[in-house]
């Protein structure tokens, strides 16, 4: 019988400043503990409480300890500067962050961890509607100069002329996934299908395919927060297991799943430190943290030589885990000529199949950039939002590998 203890003291908050200097704040605090038991067959039981007196001694002590540790709301020292920045630029500035102290482990050994995760989002109005962009940090020390640069970058892009779909051959164009713009693509197509509890159901399109090559030999996809640069970081998962990188695709080959204690015991895999919970009221389940898609060093990359579409961030609309069929949406995209961004193209939907799309990827840019939002996250099994971040190198999908639809309204 395995016993897992978990206690947390967490604050999450959002501060929004509009160009008039008006500030809106929302802060949420969660504090409590739980005990989980897992038997030799991998079956578990979960018990949670807000009050240390309602927990067994070891869990009660862990909760009492984290409750004495301070957790802080966000961006207070920078508030006057952020207000002035919003006034000067006419931008809406949103600062979001999470500060969490946890203790997790078993009856004999518990490990303490402190997690900080923050992002800034700016939004400006344009004649064709509001445009927004976000920047991520693993601590709350996001520099104001970085925010000013973000506003300048957004403004220069927002006032590009809009493309007339009837005047360009966009339906026959390649789709370029720019660095730091499409990590959610790999989060959905590779990550969720390789979470051990999903694999165990036999309904994942990657079930039973370990060792099979499904992508180009230069493509590797790893999930793990311990060394995340510019993304969510943690030393342990919510069961006290050391957070380690799980190699999901190794040079295009299906490798290992992400596990928690229960799935590792039941399926005979190693514990990768991916047991995560929305909060202490929820049992730990295998979930992603910081998903990175990279190009093997030394691989020759080539910038596009013909016009292409570049989605600025993709989010899932729907995916069939059994078949790999998907629909993604990008609320903004760019029409680019080789070496230059020329026009805004607006919202698009991207439809296709995971196996077909992964197999057709081409390397474009080895640079790896990260992104994410501290006030959003992954919503597996309705547990939303659990902080998750992404990073990816630049890759392209040749024309007609996926279907691209122009979104005209909504």
């Amino acid at each position: 019988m395995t016993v897992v203890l978990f206690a947390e003291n967490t604050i999450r908050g959002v501060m929004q400043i509009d160009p008039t200097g008006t500030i809106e704040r929302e802060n949420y605090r969660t504090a409590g503990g739980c005990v989980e038991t897992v038997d030799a067959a991998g079956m578990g039981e979960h018990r949670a409480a807000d009050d240390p007196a309602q927990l067994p001694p070891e869990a009660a002590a862990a909760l009492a300890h984290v409750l004495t540790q301070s957790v802080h709301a966000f961006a207070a020292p920078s508030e006057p500067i952020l207000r002035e920045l919003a006034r000067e630029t006419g931008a809406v500035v949103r600062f979001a962050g999470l500060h969490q102290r946890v203790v997790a482990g078993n009856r004999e050994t518990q490990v303490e961890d402190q997690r900080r995760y923050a992002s800034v989002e700016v939004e400006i109005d344009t004649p064709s509607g509001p445009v927004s962009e976000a920047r991520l940090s693993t601590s709350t020390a996001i520099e104001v100069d970085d925010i000013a640069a973000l506003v300048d970058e957004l403004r220069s892009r927002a006032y590009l002329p809009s493309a007339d779909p009837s005047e360009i051959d966009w339906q026959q164009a390649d789709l370029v996934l720019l660095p730091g713009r499409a990590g959610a693509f790999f989060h959905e197509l590779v990550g969720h299908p390789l979470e051990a509890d999903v694999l165990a159901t036999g309904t994942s399109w990657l079930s039973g395919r370990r060792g099979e090559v499904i992508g180009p030999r230069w493509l590797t996809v790893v999930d793990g927060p311990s060394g995340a640069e510019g993304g969510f970081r943690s030393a342990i998962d919510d069961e006290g297991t050391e957070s380690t990188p799980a190699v999901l695709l190794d040079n295009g080959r299906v490798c290992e799943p992400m596990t928690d204690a229960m799935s590792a015991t039941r399926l005979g895999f190693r514990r990768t430190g991916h047991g995560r919970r929305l909060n202490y009221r929820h049992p730990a389940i295998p979930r992603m943290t910081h998903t990175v898609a990279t190009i093997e060093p030394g691989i020759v990359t080539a910038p596009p030589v013909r016009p292409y579409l570049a989605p600025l961030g993709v989010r899932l609309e729907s995916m069939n885990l059994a078949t790999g069929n998907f629909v993604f949406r990008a609320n903004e995209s760019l029409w680019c000529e080789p070496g230059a961004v020329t026009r805004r193209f607006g919202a698009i939907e991207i439809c296709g199949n995971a196996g077909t799309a992964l197999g057709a990827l081409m390397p474009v840019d080895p640079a790896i950039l990260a992104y994410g939002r501290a006030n959003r996250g992954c919503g597996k099994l309705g547990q939303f939002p659990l902080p998750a971040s992404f990073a990816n190198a630049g890759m392209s999908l040749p024309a007609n590998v996926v279907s691209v639809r122009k979104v005209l309204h909504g």
Side-chain angles (χ1 to χ4, degrees), residues 175-321:
L175 193 72
V176 174
L177 308 176
L178 299 172
R181 297 290 187 177
F185 185 77
F186 300 95
H187 174 101
E188 302 292 350
L189 269 56
V190 178
H192 281 306
L194 283 175
E195 290 168 328
D197 59 338
V198 178
L199 282 177
T201 66
T203 59
S204 167
W205 76 278
L206 293 177
S207 292
R209 301 183 69 174
R210 190 171 188 179
E212 185 176 333
V213 176
I214 64 166
R217 291 290 192 174
W218 48 261
L219 175 65
T220 293
V221 181
V222 176
D223 190 280
S226 56
E229 295 294 335
F232 179 80
R233 299 183 70 176
S234 64
I236 58 170
D237 70 0
D238 293 336
E239 298 179 302
T241 304
E242 180 185 358
S243 295
T244 60
V247 181
L248 310 181
L249 292 187
D250 185 10
N251 295 117
R253 188 183 303 274
V254 180
C255 198
E256 64 178 332
M258 293 164 283
T259 65
D260 63 351
M262 188 182 300
S263 62
T265 299
R266 181 179 295 179
L267 302 175
F269 294 121
R270 77 175 181 98
R271 289 175 65 167
T272 61
H274 283 81
R276 306 188 68 199
R277 58 186 91 237
L278 182 62
N279 55 52
Y280 69 97
R281 299 184 183 95
H282 296 261
I285 56 176
R287 296 185 71 168
M288 282 168 284
T289 49
H290 182 68
T291 310
V292 187
T294 63
I295 296 170
E296 182 181 1
I299 292 295
V300 176
T301 59
V305 295
R306 60 181 186 174
Y308 61 90
L309 273 174
L312 299 182
V314 293
R315 61 177 176 84
L316 185 70
E317 292 283 279
S318 65
M319 179 172 173
N320 186 321
L321 276 173

Side-chain angles (χ1 to χ4, degrees), residues 11-70:
I11 189 166
R12 300 180 70 154
V14 178
M15 181 176 69
Q16 176 171 300
I17 307 174
D18 69 21
T20 68
T22 301
I23 299 179
E24 297 179 6
R25 295 181 182 85
E26 294 182 356
N27 290 324
Y28 306 92
R29 184 166 177 262
T30 306
C34 64
V35 178
E36 291 173 352
T37 57
V38 182
D39 63 23
M43 301 301 293
E45 180 181 282
H46 176 267
R47 184 170 55 151
D50 305 320
D51 184 350
Q54 298 174 352
L55 293 169
E58 298 88 349
L63 177 54
H65 174 73
V66 297
L67 290 178
T68 66
Q69 306 299 304
S70 61

Side-chain angles (χ1 to χ4, degrees), residues 25-195:
R25 295 181 182 85
E26 294 182 356
N27 290 324
Y28 306 92
R29 184 166 177 262
T30 306
C34 64
V35 178
E36 291 173 352
T37 57
V38 182
D39 63 23
M43 301 301 293
E45 180 181 282
H46 176 267
R47 184 170 55 151
D50 305 320
D51 184 350
Q54 298 174 352
L55 293 169
E58 298 88 349
L63 177 54
H65 174 73
V66 297
L67 290 178
T68 66
Q69 306 299 304
S70 61
V71 288
H72 303 284
F74 310 101
S78 303
E79 186 177 303
I81 303 173
L82 293 176
R83 185 190 291 117
E84 186 62 27
L85 179 67
R87 284 174 174 162
E88 289 179 355
T89 62
V92 175
V93 179
R94 299 183 188 94
F95 184 100
L98 172 146
H99 185 192
Q100 183 179 58
R101 294 180 184 271
V102 305
V103 171
N106 54 42
R107 285 177 176 148
E108 293 75 32
T109 305
Q110 294 103 46
V111 184
E112 186 173 356
D113 193 17
Q114 180 177 193
R115 303 159 182 174
R116 291 179 179 270
Y117 183 63
S119 62
V120 168
E121 184 175 4
V122 296
E123 180 180 291
I124 61 174
D125 282 323
T126 72
S128 56
V131 180
S132 65
E133 185 62 276
R135 186 155 292 168
L136 174 72
S137 174
T138 53
S139 75
T140 56
I142 296 179
E143 298 295 335
V144 173
D145 287 348
D146 289 343
I147 306 174
L150 189 62
V151 174
D152 292 342
E153 175 187 323
L154 182 61
R155 195 178 300 282
S156 65
R157 192 179 76 221
Y159 286 94
L160 287 170
S162 295
D164 183 343
S166 65
E167 296 179 354
I168 56 178
D169 192 16
W170 61 273
Q171 291 178 308
Q172 299 302 314
D174 296 343
L175 193 72
V176 174
L177 308 176
L178 299 172
R181 297 290 187 177
F185 185 77
F186 300 95
H187 174 101
E188 302 292 350
L189 269 56
V190 178
H192 281 306
L194 283 175
E195 290 168 328

